């Protein structure tokens, strides 16, 4: 997608603070963090949201979760716990229409989810 914010970040057209990258996944610090650790993990392939996961592209989700586990360890939040969240569609408050997962941690998180 030519106008996708996250595609531009992955290509290096928009700066980000990268914390992880491999052949399938790119992860960077959120510019408006909601917790001491707030990292976005995105597939390099453009997938609009979780609603667009298919048998053909679902393998990237396991790659994202493998990366998330490594990132949580590297950030020092794996032992105390963390949250992984994805928003999907308008009612789910998805603001960038490129599949992404938020890793949140570094403090006790509230239980409210909506």
């Amino acid at each position: 997608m030519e106008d996708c914010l996250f595609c531009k970040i992955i290509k290096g057209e928009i700066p980000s603070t990268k914390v992880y990258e491999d052949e399938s996944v790119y992860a960077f610090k959120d510019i408006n963090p909601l917790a001491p650790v707030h990292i976005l993990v995105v597939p390099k392939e453009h997938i609009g949201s979780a609603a667009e996961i298919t048998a053909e592209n679902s393998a990237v989700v396991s790659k994202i979760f493998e990366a998330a586990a490594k990132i949580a360890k590297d950030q020092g939040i794996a032992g105390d716990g963390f949250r992984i969240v994805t928003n999907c569609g308008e009612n789910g408050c998805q603001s960038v229409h490129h599949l992404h997962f938020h890793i949140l941690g570094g403090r006790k998180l509230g239980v409210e989810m909506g």
Side-chain angles (χ1 to χ4, degrees):
M1 299 285 296
E2 293 174 18
D3 61 341
C4 173
L5 175 67
F6 290 166
C7 287
K8 289 179 179 181
I9 288 172
I10 293 163
K11 292 177 190 172
E13 296 172 6
I14 295 175
S16 67
T17 303
K18 178 174 70 171
V19 297
Y20 178 84
E21 182 176 15
D22 65 25
E23 66 281 345
S24 304
V25 175
Y26 187 83
F28 56 98
K29 291 185 177 182
D30 194 293
I31 60 169
N32 295 308
L34 300 176
V37 175
H38 188 167
I39 295 168
L40 299 175
V41 187
V42 302
K44 288 185 173 180
E45 170 189 359
H46 182 87
I47 300 170
S49 74
E52 294 181 17
I53 298 296
T54 65
E56 291 75 31
N57 65 18
S58 64
V60 75
V61 176
S62 66
K63 296 292 186 187
I64 288 169
F65 275 83
E66 289 169 21
K70 180 178 182 351
I71 292 164
K73 288 176 190 160
D74 292 347
Q75 295 290 314
I77 61 172
D80 290 333
F82 59 97
R83 182 173 291 155
I84 298 176
V85 178
T86 189
N87 300 323
C88 186
E90 184 177 340
N91 284 350
C93 297
Q94 183 179 7
S95 59
V96 178
H97 296 281
H98 184 123
L99 179 64
H100 59 285
F101 292 81
H102 299 258
I103 300 173
L104 299 154
R107 66 169 167 80
K108 177 81 171 170
L109 301 171
V111 296
E112 301 81 25
M113 292 299 289

